[in-house]
Amino acid sequence: MKTFCGRANPTTGALDWVEESEEYDYHQEIARSCYADMLHDHDRNEKYYQGIRAAVARVRARGEKVVVLDIGTGTGLLSMMAVTAGADLCYAVEVFKPMADAAQCIVEKNGFSDKIKIINKHSTEVTVGPDGDMQMRANVLVTELFDTELIGEGALPSYEHAHHNLVQEGCEAVPHRATVYAQLVESDLLWSWAQLQPMDVDGTRLVPPPAVGRCAGAHSVCDIQLSQVPAHSFTPLGPLCTMFSVDFSKPVSSASQCHSARFAAQSSGRAQVVLSWWDIDMDPGGTIVCTMAPSWTYPQPDMAPWRDHWMQSVYFLPVERRVTEGEDLTLTVCHDDYSLWFSMQKHSQQDAETEAPPCRPCCTCQAHLVWTRPRFGELNDSHRTESYVSALRSVLKADSVCLGVSDGSLLPVFAHMLGAKKVSHIANSMTGGVQLLEIRPDQLTSSDLGGEQISVLMGEPYFSTSLLPWHSLFFWYCRTALAGLLQPGATILPCSASLHIVAVEFQDLWRIRAPCGTCEGFDVRPMDEMKSLDFRESREAEPHPLWEYPCRALTPPTAAMTFDFTQCVSQQPITSQGSLPFTRSGCCHGVVLWMEYQLTDDITVSMGLSGPIGEQGECEWKRHRKQGVFFFRSPWESSGDGRASVSYSLTFEPSLGDIKMEFTAESL
């Protein structure tokens, strides 16, 4: 059965209705997921296997039959480990039907269907008894319910229910225990993602509105690959603190709790940010440990395992506070059943024990609801600001009538400060001499502009609906819709954009799309062969913040397509074909795509590379925009002698507002 799905077109702003199969939601969910990353995480798999063997052995030593409950079984990997370790029976619970079906297929393929029962339910719906899903309560509890924040996938309620209803008292749990760590730091880099900073515009200090400066910000976690944040970009103000632990072998509570760690400040500075991660002990003795610690905590950073399904967490304090070396401080973490938040207290004036538990941070200024954390970082980038201010300064005149088209942009404010006669803005903006027009570009009339025509149309361009780099071409559609309101010879800023591409070898990111074949000795090829993994979403470019994912360029970067904003959107498709010769040896996993904007004849702003490519192909990427990544189905080994290349064919479809692309690696 077919169904029509409404799909917002981020380039044109229109809602397109597309015919899809009834399983579309399932397919796209799996296609966009990164299950392969977990299966390629050998450190995680090995530690789980060791913990499961030890738990089964402890139950066997008590003379008991081993009955395992595996909550969130996914591919069934941990259940197969349990049976291989000697379990008599395993109940494997998986709520997501396509994954439950895949697990059933994998279990059968590996010959375990007589000992593993797949239950396609949420664990809280599982019943126990002669007519239930489980014939008896389990005495071994195996789970993988964790996210970067540990509890964000509902681990605590699931454990709470399992102990009350599904497992025996005193059961063995794998993992046995989780411990959350945190460290208070000062970091201008990380803090720039939380609060809008003052900035200088032509000698004038631009200060955020008081409501923004006082706001505690969004409470949600910022999960990143902390290994890619250089240690020199933050200053520890205290030791790494053990905040709290959860023993999964005992009844678990999902009730809100607070935990504190008291310490003396190690150095003076501004308390701004809390870095956090967790460990899981697979056994009661803590001899089998799987840690999420960033690589720079390792004696040999290169030995740190890479994973994308579990990263590290960054939390921003409600306000920054100055601390002095030796000062007595307390770091407090609170959590409900799904999330964590932190606060810091000083003891110079009153003891923290007399203070009420800190409230969950809540945005009161609305900016944190509109702008993402990378967007805050982008707005706080002084070099980027100077580029836009310089470009505006070169085109503005005393009689300029300006219109800004970007979400949450400061360009209209800059134009006003630089002396433009009149500045209007479509979408969200800081006010202050700027007229806000809550109207779509195609609805704008001359009367909305006071009867005047636009002499400067400006955009960053940035739109909150944009996912992939070329989605910001919505600016081009806006410019076209406004053509009748532009003065003859009006300035369009940026005047053009170019789509750049480079073929790369990823250090680790390739794992999220690589087939698994066998995993820890088990055949998981049915997962690789799932129809959903070959669904449309898995064959298109996908957005990734590449500053978090190191890669090497194997070809020269190339401007593959150009868009002229001084003209209206073309009515005909724009095509581009060519090839990128391999000039470095390596394993090519795919192609990276990004946009660059020509603000004026001599000012260009890149949303991709932040500098020249290194001699060995090292790439540094902008931190505040995601780049597009097109993964090859199979990697290509390049000798770097120029006798192979990546051929590309790109077509911009104006009616669809998207770019169709094909990339093929081939010998010349």
Side-chain angles (χ1 to χ4, degrees):
M1 179 178 176
K2 298 287 186 178
T3 184
F4 283 98
C5 297
R7 182 181 301 166
N9 187 317
T11 307
T12 64
L15 183 66
D16 298 334
W17 291 95
V18 182
E19 189 179 56
E20 301 284 5
S21 68
E22 61 182 353
E23 297 88 9
Y24 170 71
D25 287 342
Y26 282 171
H27 288 320
Q28 68 166 346
E29 183 71 20
I30 296 177
R32 291 170 178 167
S33 69
C34 302
Y35 284 105
D37 172 38
M38 292 188 184
L39 298 178
H40 283 293
D41 187 349
H42 176 67
D43 178 74
R44 161 196 176 270
N45 299 340
E46 182 181 44
K47 300 291 176 55
Y48 260 101
Y49 212 164
Q50 292 173 5
I52 289 170
R53 289 194 191 101
V56 170
R58 289 193 297 274
V59 175
R60 280 271 180 238
R62 298 198 294 262
E64 300 176 20
K65 180 180 180 179
V66 181
V67 180
V68 177
L69 172 61
D70 175 10
I71 300 179
T73 194
T75 59
L77 176 65
L78 303 185
S79 292
M80 293 189 293
M81 288 179 177
V83 172
T84 303
D88 297 285
L89 180 62
C90 185
Y91 295 105
V93 180
E94 175 56 53
V95 66
F96 189 39
K97 188 177 187 305
M99 285 308 304
D101 293 342
Q104 185 67 56
C105 183
I106 291 171
V107 165
E108 292 175 358
K109 191 174 186 66
N110 286 273
F112 295 116
S113 55
D114 60 330
K115 290 192 174 183
I116 298 176
K117 179 183 179 181
I118 305 296
I119 303 173
N120 180 208
K121 288 184 176 181
H122 193 282
S123 64
T124 57
E125 299 173 342
V126 172
T127 57
V128 179
D131 298 322
D133 301 304
M134 299 171 60
Q135 296 298 300
M136 65 202 78
R137 288 188 177 225
N139 51 16
V140 176
L141 176 58
V142 177
T143 62
E144 206 282 58
L145 299 171
F146 314 116
D147 68 349
T148 293
E149 205 173 13
L150 182 68
I151 65 173
E153 291 186 2
L156 296 182
S158 295
Y159 272 112
E160 187 174 44
H161 177 270
H163 276 286
H164 286 158
N165 301 280
L166 305 177
V167 300
Q168 300 175 16
E169 183 178 354
C171 75
E172 300 287 343
V174 182
H176 178 82
R177 179 190 307 108
T179 304
V180 174
Y181 304 92
Q183 186 169 38
L184 182 67
V185 304
E186 172 185 348
S187 174
D188 288 337
L189 171 63
L190 298 177
W191 188 244
S192 72
W193 298 349
Q195 296 290 350
L196 193 62
Q197 305 298 314
M199 57 190 72
D200 292 315
V201 179
D202 242 25
T204 301
R205 188 76 162 167
L206 180 61
V207 180
V212 176
R214 291 193 304 264
C215 183
H219 80 273
S220 59
V221 64
C222 176
D223 54 339
I224 62 173
Q225 292 284 355
L226 201 53
S227 296
Q228 298 307 314
V229 176
H232 63 74
S233 67
F234 60 87
T235 302
L237 301 180
L240 182 64
C241 300
T242 300
M243 299 307 300
F244 68 93
S245 294
V246 183
D247 187 339
F248 298 125
S249 68
K250 300 177 181 178
V252 172
S253 173
S254 62
S256 299
Q257 299 180 32
C258 291
H259 309 271
S260 297
R262 190 165 178 171
F263 56 89
Q266 292 180 338
S267 59
S268 299
R270 293 164 294 155
Q272 300 169 320
V273 177
V274 176
L275 310 181
S276 181
W277 57 86
W278 47 267
D279 292 346
I280 44 178
D281 296 330
M282 297 298 182
D283 64 322
T287 60
I288 308 169
V289 182
C290 187
T291 179
M292 305 308 118
S295 62
W296 36 259
T297 66
Y298 283 68
Q300 295 179 286
D302 291 344
M303 300 301 293
W306 182 86
R307 40 188 150 242
D308 202 43
H309 51 100
W310 295 330
M311 294 184 280
Q312 295 79 40
S313 301
V314 173
Y315 298 90
F316 303 98
L317 296 181
V319 294
E320 66 174 8
R321 300 175 67 183
R322 287 207 164 269
V323 300
T324 305
E325 183 177 356
E327 191 172 10
D328 197 8
L329 305 175
T330 292
L331 186 63
T332 298
V333 61
C334 296
H335 70 79
D336 53 20
D337 51 348
Y338 279 91
S339 61
L340 282 67
W341 60 95
F342 284 82
S343 64
M344 186 208 74
Q345 299 85 32
K346 295 184 177 185
H347 296 277
S348 56
Q349 297 177 344
Q350 61 179 1
D351 193 87
E353 294 179 0
T354 65
E355 297 182 5
C359 297
R360 180 202 300 268
C362 178
C363 176
T364 56
C365 72
Q366 308 303 313
H368 298 88
L369 305 179
V370 176
W371 296 336
T372 63
R373 291 190 172 106
R375 179 60 172 163
F376 270 97
E378 187 171 52
L379 293 173
N380 286 324
D381 185 338
S382 59
H383 296 293
R384 175 183 177 278
T385 295
E386 180 54 35
S387 294
Y388 280 97
V389 170
S390 296
L392 286 171
R393 188 188 298 117
S394 69
V395 301
L396 289 178
K397 301 176 182 177
D399 61 350
S400 291
V401 177
C402 305
L403 178 66
V405 181
S406 275
D407 286 350
S409 178
L410 299 181
L411 295 194
V413 179
F414 297 162
H416 173 72
M417 295 177 69
L418 292 170
K421 172 187 173 182
K422 183 175 183 178
V423 183
S424 302
H425 185 54
I426 297 176
N428 309 303
S429 176
M430 311 290 286
T431 56
V434 178
Q435 177 189 11
L436 297 183
L437 303 173
E438 297 183 8
I439 191 172
R440 296 203 316 263
D442 58 350
Q443 297 175 327
L444 196 69
T445 65
S446 177
S447 61
D448 295 313
L449 300 173
E452 299 189 86
Q453 288 188 305
I454 303 164
S455 60
V456 178
L457 178 65
M458 55 192 176
E460 301 188 30
Y462 171 83
F463 302 99
S464 58
T465 55
S466 298
L467 299 176
L468 289 159
W470 47 93
H471 290 169
S472 58
L473 289 175
F474 181 51
F475 176 78
W476 200 11
Y477 288 82
C478 294
R479 176 259 182 270
T480 302
L482 296 166
L485 299 177
L486 298 176
Q487 291 182 10
T491 297
I492 311 296
L493 189 157
C495 56
S496 65
S498 51
L499 179 69
H500 291 245
I501 59 176
V502 65
V504 302
E505 173 185 51
F506 282 108
Q507 180 174 302
D508 295 295
L509 188 62
W510 59 271
R511 301 174 195 272
I512 69 173
R513 289 287 171 248
C516 299
T518 60
C519 179
E520 310 307 324
F522 301 101
D523 187 347
V524 295
R525 283 178 296 177
M527 182 67 191
D528 299 333
E529 297 163 0
M530 285 180 68
K531 176 184 175 183
S532 296
L533 291 179
D534 195 35
F535 194 58
R536 182 180 64 246
E537 269 78 1
S538 68
R539 301 194 303 271
E540 298 176 344
E542 52 193 72
H544 290 284
L546 292 188
W547 71 268
E548 296 185 58
Y549 305 108
C551 63
R552 293 175 54 243
L554 302 182
T555 68
T558 299
M561 187 172 281
T562 299
F563 310 94
D564 184 359
F565 296 157
T566 64
Q567 304 297 317
C568 291
V569 173
S570 170
Q571 297 301 306
Q572 301 299 319
I574 300 174
T575 61
S576 176
Q577 296 179 337
S579 63
L580 304 172
F582 284 113
T583 54
R584 296 182 183 89
S585 60
C587 183
C588 183
H589 297 114
V591 177
V592 176
L593 307 95
W594 70 96
M595 298 292 285
E596 294 191 1
Y597 299 105
Q598 194 79 25
L599 303 185
T600 63
D601 291 340
D602 56 354
I603 300 178
T604 300
V605 175
S606 173
M607 301 302 161
L609 289 170
S610 59
I613 291 175
E615 290 186 7
Q616 302 302 315
E618 306 91 340
C619 300
E620 290 188 11
W621 300 96
K622 295 286 187 179
R623 294 180 182 272
H624 307 128
R625 295 280 181 110
K626 292 182 179 181
Q627 292 74 42
V629 180
F630 182 97
F631 287 99
F632 291 149
R633 296 190 183 185
S634 300
W636 179 274
E637 291 290 341
S638 163
S639 61
D641 58 7
R643 290 187 289 182
S645 66
V646 173
S647 297
Y648 63 86
S649 176
L650 306 173
T651 302
F652 174 70
E653 296 280 0
S655 60
L656 300 177
D658 205 356
I659 296 178
K660 294 182 178 180
M661 57 190 68
E662 293 183 10
F663 295 97
T664 306
E666 56 191 6
S667 299
L668 300 179

